[in-house]
Amino acid sequence: MMIGQEKVYETLKGLGIGFEYFEHPEAPTVELAMQYCQNLDSTHCKNLFFRNHKGDRHYLVILHCTRSLAIRDLEQRLRQGKLSFASPQRMERYLGLRPGSVSPFGLVNDTDHHVHVFLDENLRSVEKLSFHPNDNRASLSIRTEDFIRFMDSTGNTYEWVKLY
């Protein structure tokens, strides 16, 4: 079952985390989201969902929206073996999301804490981050320190790594 924005807002409210909400037309790609989020005072993030070669591990990789990253380079940096993009079925199974709406807020749907998250170290120093709230027709801006509190609350493992 797909759980969208409401679960995200409920979770953030329960943690005492404030955010700025910005509604916009559907933005299934980071390029479109950047067009709509230009006026948000935050760093918009690119979220990539991968699986390992065996298909028994899944990873959410979060980096600055303007950065590109070759999968082979990512494999070497993360040392997780051969990676490929996870299928829409896997995305829905583990994050409750569909392609074009990938976000760390999908972790509210990962009750088994299956997905491991890699966060680009460069994001740690920015004041605010923005992501889709499990729906690509909106973006949320959240203070980085509050985002870390959200990550700590999910029960999912995560680590900061230098991605570029």
Side-chain angles (χ1 to χ4, degrees):
M1 170 159 62
M2 196 158 130
I3 303 173
Q5 293 187 48
E6 299 77 25
K7 181 67 174 175
V8 174
Y9 305 140
E10 178 184 297
T11 301
L12 295 176
K13 182 179 177 183
L15 294 169
I17 294 175
F19 57 86
E20 292 176 62
Y21 173 83
F22 180 69
E23 196 169 312
H24 51 70
E26 187 173 348
T29 66
V30 73
E31 292 79 17
L32 278 174
M34 286 172 33
Q35 289 176 17
Y36 300 130
C37 297
Q38 289 179 3
N39 296 328
L40 273 180
D41 183 26
S42 64
T43 299
H44 195 68
C45 296
K46 182 183 294 189
N47 305 281
L48 305 171
F49 190 55
F50 293 99
R51 58 168 270 195
N52 68 356
H53 181 67
K54 293 180 182 178
D56 61 351
R57 294 288 305 151
H58 293 81
Y59 308 98
L60 179 61
V61 178
I62 301 171
L63 63 154
H64 191 282
C65 66
T66 61
R67 298 295 179 173
S68 60
L69 197 58
I71 291 179
R72 300 295 169 248
D73 183 44
L74 184 65
E75 290 169 349
Q76 290 177 342
R77 290 178 188 272
L78 301 184
R79 297 186 176 122
Q80 301 297 311
K82 185 172 171 44
L83 299 174
S84 59
F85 286 105
S87 68
Q89 295 80 9
R90 288 173 185 269
M91 189 180 299
E92 191 161 342
R93 177 179 176 192
Y94 293 109
L95 296 175
L97 301 174
R98 293 195 175 111
S101 295
V102 178
S103 163
F105 294 127
L107 296 172
V108 299
N109 300 322
D110 183 15
T111 56
D112 293 331
H113 315 298
H114 174 80
V115 177
H116 180 77
V117 181
F118 290 103
L119 297 150
D120 183 64
E121 180 69 40
N122 294 302
L123 295 176
R124 191 180 256 185
S125 63
V126 301
E127 185 178 342
K128 293 181 182 176
L129 301 169
S130 64
F131 307 95
H132 290 314
N134 295 351
D135 183 329
N136 64 19
R137 295 170 296 178
S139 293
L140 294 185
S141 175
I142 182 172
R143 292 181 339 169
T144 302
E145 63 192 46
D146 288 335
F147 175 70
I148 293 169
R149 281 197 311 134
F150 165 78
M151 288 300 300
D152 289 340
S153 77
T154 66
N156 291 75
T157 55
Y158 71 93
E159 59 189 287
W160 296 92
V161 294
K162 185 105 174 134
L163 291 177
Y164 52 89

